[in-house]
Amino acid sequence: MELIDLKTGSRDYPVYIGGGILSNRALWAKLLNDQPVLIVSNEVVAPLYLQTLLSALPGGRNEQLILADGEQTKNLSNWQLITDKLATMEFGRDACIIAIGGGVTGDLAGFAAACWMRGIDIIQVPTTLLAQVDASVGGKTAINHSAGKNLLGSFHQPCAVVVDCETLNTLPIREFRAGLAEVIKYGAITDLNFFDWLDRHATALNARLPEPIEQAVISSIQAKAALVAADELEQGPRALLNFGHTFAHALEAATEYKRWLHGEAVAIGMILAARLSTRMGLDSGDAERRLTELSGKLGLTGPEVGLPDNQILIDYMRLDKKNIGGKYRFILLKELGTAVVNADVSTQDIHAVLDSFLLTP
Ligand code: NAD
Ligand code: GLY
């Protein structure tokens, strides 16, 4: 079992990573101190993993809440269901939520934990690749508002994260590949050696071999932990984690979140951002070439699949949360493995990049 100690301004906590650790009784005994526990999961994950978790927990009070599946459940009604359950069970400040599931479960339960009595413990047990390498680590919690995704939320660090890579065995292949896009991102923004390693292990990752998957998860979490430790509240370098995301969020919104999974949109967004980097006089073009190659090897598509109308995408990008003073703030690549924040991109630059994919698919 690998342990990464994540140190943030508000809390230090352990991230445990390993195959089969969900059933590790000694680990759970260490993590829970006779606290009342509310397990939050969903109708897909609970039948697969709830019993294993229950068997591993130390004795003591535990309750369960199993919610419906899907992004649309990350809403105020389900936040209310969780807090109602905490109220009905008379759970106080000493209570602990265990969120077991993908990023939707983690974000939703995390936001309930952040709010209940101004903040109670939460242990994140991510079961999708995307949640293991991204959503469960770093303390961003949120639900969606009718005006947009993740608009109601807060920073609330978990007290521990338990990443059992064996849970990925049941993950649908499309979800697995979408998670790989975020894995690629870490190599692209901070670590060329990791990017090269992913390239060399693409066949093994496609075959879903446990060892390279676990290594990829560990390296990804290490990369995220370093950025979160340096900048818990995203005032500086944590923003680099948004590489590819300005385009991705626009692609998702323009297609009403129906055409692409988030990671699939990120894969396309990273290639667009790489081409934009070249246009802005940064990377030579090598980053775009290598990102396109690696995405393809890992079963992800690029912008050649056809994009929504430029103007619609640009309208969404103008509303991006990262923008300041009416200026776009893009994460671009100085070169592969080194990302920077750039505030010089104009609407014309974005048009040019999107058009170039129309002209030369
Ligand atoms: P998800 O939670 O919807 O999970 C994807 C699907 O996989 C769901 O149907 C889920 O029930 C199923 N599933 C989960 N684990 C499984 C398993 N082991 N076997 C079989 N099926 C399984 O989606 P996601 O991609 O995990 O997370 C996306 C969410 O995460 C979005 O809401 C996004 O906003 C959020 N997110 C948050 C952060 C953050 O920092 N907090 C970062 C990235 C994404
Ligand atoms: N998912 C981006 C972040 O945690 O900052």
Side-chain angles (χ1 to χ4, degrees):
M1 179 166 57
E2 182 81 14
L3 167 63
I4 297 171
D5 273 315
L6 179 40
K7 296 188 191 317
T8 73
S10 66
R11 178 174 230 167
D12 299 348
Y13 57 94
V15 182
Y16 295 97
I17 306 148
I21 64 172
L22 183 61
S23 59
N24 186 328
R25 287 163 166 262
L27 174 63
W28 284 109
K30 188 160 71 176
L31 294 178
L32 292 167
N33 316 305
D34 270 342
Q35 292 164 282
V37 168
L38 173 63
I39 300 170
V40 179
S41 191
N42 78 16
E43 62 195 5
V44 173
V45 175
L48 295 168
Y49 299 112
L50 181 59
Q51 204 45 54
T52 308
L53 173 61
L54 285 171
S55 311
L57 293 184
R61 186 156 177 222
N62 81 64
E63 301 285 340
Q64 296 121 47
L65 184 61
I66 310 305
L67 302 168
D69 186 35
E71 178 69 32
Q72 72 286 355
T73 65
K74 220 173 92 171
N75 61 19
L76 202 53
S77 323
N78 280 312
W79 176 90
Q80 175 98 46
L81 275 183
I82 300 174
T83 51
D84 283 353
K85 182 86 176 175
L86 290 163
T88 313
M89 297 302 145
E90 298 182 0
F91 276 13
R93 280 218 162 125
D94 61 333
C96 179
I97 292 181
I98 299 178
I100 175 165
V104 165
T105 303
D107 275 14
L108 172 62
F111 189 48
C115 298
W116 186 247
M117 301 202 172
R118 299 201 182 88
I120 59 169
D121 284 350
I122 178 160
I123 299 177
Q124 294 283 359
V125 186
T127 60
T128 63
L129 182 56
L130 184 135
Q132 294 188 349
V133 300
D134 190 357
S136 64
V137 175
K140 280 189 182 175
T141 74
I143 57 174
N144 301 327
H145 185 276
S146 54
K149 203 165 137 66
N150 292 333
L151 290 186
L152 289 168
S154 73
F155 286 93
H156 182 64
Q157 301 293 342
C159 58
V161 185
V162 176
V163 180
D164 184 342
C165 298
E166 275 182 17
T167 60
L168 300 179
N169 293 341
T170 54
L171 194 65
I173 183 68
R174 196 173 161 202
E175 296 285 352
F176 178 73
R177 292 193 193 292
L180 284 175
E182 298 284 0
V183 172
I184 295 172
K185 179 189 76 180
Y186 293 113
I189 62 173
T190 61
D191 189 348
L192 181 58
N193 287 334
F194 180 46
F195 192 95
D196 289 339
W197 182 93
L198 288 170
D199 206 24
R200 288 196 304 278
H201 291 81
T203 308
L205 291 165
N206 272 325
R208 297 177 78 163
L209 299 182
E211 206 186 307
I213 290 176
E214 188 172 322
Q215 189 50 54
V217 170
I218 292 169
S219 299
S220 299
I221 296 176
Q222 280 168 338
K224 176 151 188 187
L227 288 170
V228 171
D231 175 25
E232 181 183 9
L233 303 179
E234 201 173 310
Q235 305 296 304
R238 184 170 179 163
L240 301 182
L241 292 168
N242 292 309
F243 175 57
H245 284 59
T246 307
F247 285 111
H249 289 150
L251 291 169
E252 288 177 275
T255 52
E256 294 173 348
Y257 298 89
K258 289 187 183 131
R259 179 166 170 194
W260 290 291
L261 295 176
H262 175 66
E264 293 171 335
V266 168
I268 297 171
M270 290 192 292
I271 293 169
L272 292 168
R275 188 168 290 191
L276 183 58
S277 306
T278 306
R279 181 178 169 87
M280 299 307 291
L282 297 167
D283 179 72
S284 64
D286 182 58
E288 180 192 332
R289 182 184 59 75
R290 295 207 56 200
L291 274 165
T292 305
E293 269 172 25
L294 182 55
S295 296
K297 282 186 193 173
L298 295 176
L300 292 154
T301 57
E304 73 281 356
V305 292
L307 303 177
D309 179 72
N310 280 7
Q311 196 51 53
I312 295 174
L313 293 176
I314 287 168
D315 287 346
Y316 280 111
M317 283 187 255
R318 263 208 284 270
L319 296 175
D320 191 88
K321 287 201 280 288
K322 291 185 297 304
N323 296 346
I324 294 178
K327 286 187 127 186
Y328 300 104
R329 275 172 86 241
F330 273 89
I331 311 306
L332 300 181
L333 295 180
K334 222 165 108 187
E335 60 191 353
L336 196 61
T338 309
V340 290
V341 180
N342 182 296
D344 296 330
V345 173
S346 67
T347 300
Q348 192 194 4
D349 293 319
I350 305 175
H351 265 293
V353 164
L354 294 171
D355 282 344
S356 68
F357 280 98
L358 284 178
L359 298 172
T360 53

